Amino acid sequence: MTATKYYQFRPINVGRWFIWSLFALVLLLAPLVFDSSIAISMMAQMGIAIIACLSFNMLLGQGGMLSFGHAVYAGLGTYVAMHALLLLGDAGLPVPAVALIPLIGGFAGLFFALLFGYVTTKKAGTAFAMITLGVGELIFIASMVFFIFFGGEAGVSADRVIGEPFWGISFGPLIEVYYLIAVYTFLCVALMFAYTRTPLGRIINAVRDNPERVEFIGYDPQTVRYLVFMIAGFFAGIAGGMAAVLFEIVTSEVVGPIRSGSYLLFAFLGGVTFFFGPIIGGILMVLAFVMFSEITKAWMLYLGLIFVFMVMYAPGGIAGLIMMNLRLAMFGRLGELWASYLGLGATALALLVSMGALIEMIYHLQLGTAMGDVVPFLGMSLNTLDLDVWFGAVFVALTSFGLFELCRRSFSQQWAAIQTDIEKEIKRRETT
């Protein structure tokens, strides 16, 4: 009897190939569309922020580990990469060596994650979060004390242009740095996505959901957390190394609590339950730090309010909202909600404008009285000494919030009814 061999072929996932090709095309062509130096710099920063937020989500979204010190590994990667860049310049190595600086930052992040991670991942939940907060504060204080490595308040600076150009590339022009960051961004995003399909990527999800059962089937939850922690530190370090090449200077702010909080805030806003959520968060992070901060001095207060709003009404983040509505669209039920969305959008916009007026007037009274009593806001002139202006802003804010709640409750009932119908339809299809 001759043995018969059976071969199984998995079909090509056309949708996935299309998305990755589109992602690569966007990275390639973006500087041709937005060709100003400011736009190119922002897009390079977005690439760095995307990698940092995705690496943070390896801990929070995929592993259930809330870290308040993720900036430590990105920041220390930046410091080590900056010192490496200084050594490359002194050694007179060729230009291609600069392209390896992000990898040096990555291995630095991996080393420090190996160093601090064993103790950090001994615990989970609240204890893990508190330990990461302590490590973050420790490194932040150390950055102000150990001047030889951290450079004090002045930080550490280096020149990314070393030696003669190689094939016309010197990494002096910003566009060359952008494409270097774009290559690393694409590769790192692809690797982190591939990681989610590995046994380690699957088992960390199980550790997040039920660590006792994982231990029962023979895995050590602490070891799994430790391995994932080191991988996240590696990719965070790569983001830090790319920042060293882009900015050519690093200060203690990169290991500070504000930076760690930013990774948490924007990864959550993007959506930690879906892989592409932190990508959205990284883009929003750069837009907020670069553009929103130029519009208003109270921009961090706005971010805090938006964060609270998202936690209350959209805990799945922007990615969660997108995926929930895509599900409705697949069953042809999205059009039924247009009136509800219109009401929610109008009342939310009125609430945002009225709250913005109140915030700007309060901020002006606290810090900007020397500039007069009038505050410009969305083409209007708000007199901070006029009680009618205060009353109008408060009235609109309270009224719009009340109307928003009414629209939200009506929307929730309609949404629940549609979801019930969809579940019935799914069961009907399964039985036929």
Side-chain angles (χ1 to χ4, degrees):
M1 180 181 293
T2 59
T4 304
K5 293 183 178 180
Y6 295 93
Y7 297 93
Q8 293 182 347
F9 296 94
R10 297 181 63 182
I12 297 176
N13 192 324
V14 178
R16 187 172 295 173
W17 277 97
F18 173 77
I19 292 174
W20 284 105
S21 300
L22 182 62
F23 181 43
L25 197 62
V26 168
L27 292 174
L28 180 65
L29 300 180
L32 303 180
V33 179
F34 306 99
D35 55 356
S36 67
S37 58
I38 296 177
I40 294 174
S41 176
M42 287 181 61
M43 289 186 292
Q45 293 177 57
M46 286 177 185
I48 296 170
I50 285 171
I51 301 305
C53 289
L54 279 172
S55 66
F56 175 81
N57 198 49
M58 295 176 73
L59 302 178
L60 179 59
Q62 298 169 26
M65 295 179 279
L66 175 59
S67 174
F68 290 118
H70 195 64
V72 166
Y73 308 98
L76 290 176
T78 308
Y79 273 105
V80 172
M82 193 65 71
H83 285 289
L85 193 57
L86 286 170
L87 292 176
L88 291 181
D90 295 338
L93 294 180
V95 170
V98 177
L100 301 178
I101 289 296
L103 281 179
I104 295 175
F107 285 114
L110 175 62
F111 170 77
F112 288 109
L114 175 70
L115 183 64
F116 300 128
Y118 183 76
V119 175
T120 304
T121 56
K122 278 286 187 181
K123 301 292 182 179
T126 303
F128 174 86
M130 293 299 101
I131 294 172
T132 60
L133 179 61
V135 172
E137 290 296 327
L138 174 68
I139 299 301
F140 182 58
I141 296 300
S143 68
M144 303 179 186
V145 177
F146 297 102
F147 299 99
I148 295 178
F149 182 76
F150 293 101
E153 293 183 358
V156 181
S157 59
D159 188 356
R160 64 174 177 251
V161 180
I162 59 174
E164 297 295 326
F166 182 80
W167 289 351
I169 299 174
S170 65
F171 293 116
L174 189 59
I175 187 66
E176 296 178 2
V177 178
Y178 165 80
Y179 278 115
L180 174 65
I181 291 175
V183 170
Y184 272 101
T185 299
F186 183 84
L187 292 177
C188 288
V189 171
L191 288 173
M192 281 188 276
F193 180 78
Y195 151 82
T196 63
R197 267 52 184 170
T198 62
L200 179 60
R202 300 295 190 185
I203 200 66
I204 190 61
N205 296 154
V207 170
R208 174 197 63 196
D209 298 332
N210 197 329
E212 291 81 9
R213 180 164 293 184
V214 169
E215 192 171 6
F216 180 77
I217 62 175
Y219 290 93
D220 180 12
Q222 192 269 335
T223 301
V224 175
R225 288 195 297 265
Y226 187 30
L227 291 173
V228 174
F229 193 87
M230 288 190 291
I231 296 173
F234 173 73
F235 285 108
I238 288 181
M242 293 192 296
V245 176
L246 176 63
F247 297 114
E248 301 178 289
I249 187 171
V250 56
T251 61
S252 60
E253 183 267 338
V254 299
V255 294
I258 294 179
R259 184 62 63 89
S260 293
S262 297
Y263 294 146
L264 167 61
L265 189 150
F266 286 100
F268 187 89
L269 288 180
V272 296
T273 55
F274 296 94
F275 179 80
F276 68 93
I279 296 178
I280 299 174
I283 295 172
L284 293 177
M285 181 176 175
V286 175
L287 292 176
F289 275 71
V290 178
M291 297 184 65
F292 196 27
S293 60
E294 294 294 326
I295 297 174
T296 173
K297 295 180 181 179
W299 64 279
M300 295 190 72
L301 179 58
Y302 285 105
L303 288 180
L305 292 174
I306 293 172
F307 181 73
V308 171
F309 185 86
M310 292 292 289
V311 170
M312 292 176 60
Y313 297 109
I318 297 174
L321 292 175
I322 293 173
M323 296 306 294
M324 288 191 301
N325 284 279
L326 280 178
R327 185 170 186 258
L328 264 65
M330 290 174 60
F331 286 89
R333 304 296 298 273
L334 184 59
E336 300 176 23
L337 295 173
W338 71 269
S340 298
Y341 276 129
L342 183 62
L344 286 171
T347 53
L349 180 61
L351 179 61
L352 178 63
V353 172
S354 57
M355 289 298 297
L358 289 171
I359 290 171
E360 292 298 325
M361 288 192 293
I362 294 173
Y363 194 88
H364 183 80
L365 286 178
Q366 294 293 321
L367 302 174
T369 54
M371 301 175 63
D373 300 326
V374 178
V375 180
F377 179 72
L378 297 179
M380 299 179 290
S381 297
L382 306 178
N383 191 337
T384 56
L385 301 181
D386 190 345
L387 292 179
D388 291 339
V389 175
W390 287 94
F391 176 79
V394 172
F395 177 78
V396 173
L398 293 176
T399 303
S400 57
F401 179 74
L403 293 174
F404 177 82
E405 273 296 306
L406 291 175
C407 292
R408 186 189 66 82
R409 293 176 184 179
S410 174
F411 172 80
S412 297
Q413 295 175 358
Q414 190 177 6
W415 179 275
I418 293 176
Q419 293 298 327
T420 302
D421 293 341
I422 290 177
E423 292 299 328
K424 292 179 179 179
E425 177 64 19
I426 293 175
K427 291 180 179 179
R428 187 190 65 79
R429 293 180 182 180
E430 291 176 349
T431 57
T432 57

